[in-house]
């Protein structure tokens, strides 16, 4: 079957670092995406990993281990505006560009 | 400004009524997608289209229909056969090919009266 697991909720403090984990079991794989979604708004693209390793983009980094079916999103120097849901999505592979999404992790940043 | 627009922002449906959600993009993307988002669940794929005049069912297509007559437009009709239509509907588009980033519109919230 196809399954993506993320923690439902996390809480962190302004200025701190938080790591959001994602594990997946899918029949195909052609990369993993992270999106940010504020309540009632559209998901916005954060990162894409297709090869093992760490991708860094400003305060946000994303890591992938294909052999372990594991990814994480690392947010540094947390700001109040980072309070949002973070969605992990796996590209299913094959000729199409279909994604399967996890349920999302709701991050609350506290002062 | 390139982007994806969806209208309306809120839509109310009466029992037995069909309603159509609009999705337009000016990103020159070949592929377009419709998702449904429910509380506590991940985004689920309803329909997708990789090219004009062609579309495929996603994971939860029952009770929905689409058309793709123009590259820029991918409207979704929620028919009366969809028994639980209340949800947040998101349209996305991407370049064609596996691994391309999907970009989302602002969404339409559908409520049943």
């Amino acid at each position: 079957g196809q399954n993506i697991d993320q923690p439902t909720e996390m809480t962190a403090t302004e200025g701190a670092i938080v790591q959001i984990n994602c594990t997946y079991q899918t029949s195909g794989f052609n990369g993993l995406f992270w999106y940010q979604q504020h309540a009632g708004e559209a998901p916005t693209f954060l990162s894409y990993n297709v090869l093992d390793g760490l991708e860094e983009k400003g305060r946000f980094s994303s890591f992938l281990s294909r052999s372990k079916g594991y990814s994480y999103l690392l947010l540094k120097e947390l700001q109040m505006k980072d309070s949002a849901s973070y969605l992990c999505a796996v590209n299913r592979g094959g000729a199409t560009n279909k994604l399967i999404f996890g349920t999302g992790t709701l991050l609350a940043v506290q002062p | 400004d390139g982007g994806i627009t969806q209208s309306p922002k809120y839509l109310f449906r009466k029992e037995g009524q069909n309603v159509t959600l609009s999705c337009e993009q000016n990103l020159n993307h070949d592929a377009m997608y419709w998702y449904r988002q429910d509380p506590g669940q991940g985004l689920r794929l309803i329909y997708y289209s990789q090219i004009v005049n062609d579309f495929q069912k996603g994971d939860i297509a029952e009770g929905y229909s689409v058309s793709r007559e123009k590259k820029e437009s991918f409207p979704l009709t929620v028919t009366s056969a969809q028994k639980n239509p209340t949800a947040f509907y998101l349209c996305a588009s991407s370049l064609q090919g596996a691994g391309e980033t999907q970009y989302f519109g602002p969404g339409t919230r559908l409520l049943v009266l």
Side-chain angles (χ1 to χ4, degrees), chain A residues 35-103:
Chain A
Y35 285 86
Q36 180 191 61
Q37 186 180 26
H38 287 97
E41 297 183 8
T44 55
F45 169 72
L46 291 177
S47 69
Y48 172 61
N49 295 68
V50 66
L51 300 176
D52 290 351
L54 187 68
E55 295 277 345
E56 296 187 79
K57 194 184 291 186
R59 294 190 299 117
F60 291 24
S61 303
S62 56
F63 171 82
L64 176 67
S65 169
R66 288 172 297 171
S67 62
K68 296 182 179 178
Y70 168 69
S71 173
Y72 68 73
L73 180 69
L74 194 70
L75 290 73
K76 302 176 187 175
E77 301 169 16
L78 280 172
Q79 302 174 10
M80 298 299 289
K81 67 178 182 178
D82 297 329
S83 293
S85 284
Y86 291 85
L87 313 181
C88 173
V90 170
N91 187 292
R92 308 184 201 193
T96 66
N97 197 30
K98 294 195 291 184
L99 298 177
I100 178 167
F101 281 83
T103 55

Side-chain angles (χ1 to χ4, degrees), chain B residues 3-113:
Chain B
I4 305 176
T5 58
Q6 292 185 240
S7 62
K9 189 171 177 66
Y10 296 95
L11 186 59
F12 298 91
R13 194 191 92 163
K14 295 180 181 178
E15 293 289 338
Q17 188 180 43
N18 292 355
V19 292
T20 297
L21 284 62
S22 167
C23 177
E24 304 276 332
Q25 55 95 5
N26 61 4
L27 299 168
N28 201 31
H29 286 167
D30 284 307
M32 297 186 75
Y33 315 81
W34 274 105
Y35 292 92
R36 170 182 172 140
Q37 188 173 35
D38 295 279
Q41 297 195 45
L43 275 68
R44 292 182 290 169
L45 183 64
I46 304 172
Y47 267 97
Y48 66 100
S49 168
Q50 296 188 88
I51 200 163
V52 175
N53 292 322
D54 183 60
F55 51 83
Q56 305 295 330
K57 291 182 179 179
D59 300 314
I60 54 164
E62 186 174 348
Y64 300 97
S65 66
V66 294
S67 63
R68 187 83 189 277
E69 297 175 2
K70 298 188 299 182
K71 186 175 184 177
E72 302 79 16
S73 179
F74 191 41
L76 173 74
T77 296
V78 184
T79 74
S80 57
Q82 172 48 243
K83 298 307 178 188
N84 186 23
T86 297
F88 189 44
Y89 289 87
L90 288 159
C91 178
S93 71
S94 74
L95 294 171
Q96 197 176 107
E100 294 292 341
T101 300
Q102 294 184 22
Y103 296 93
F104 287 84
T108 292
R109 191 165 296 280
L110 177 61
L111 299 164
V112 177
L113 295 176

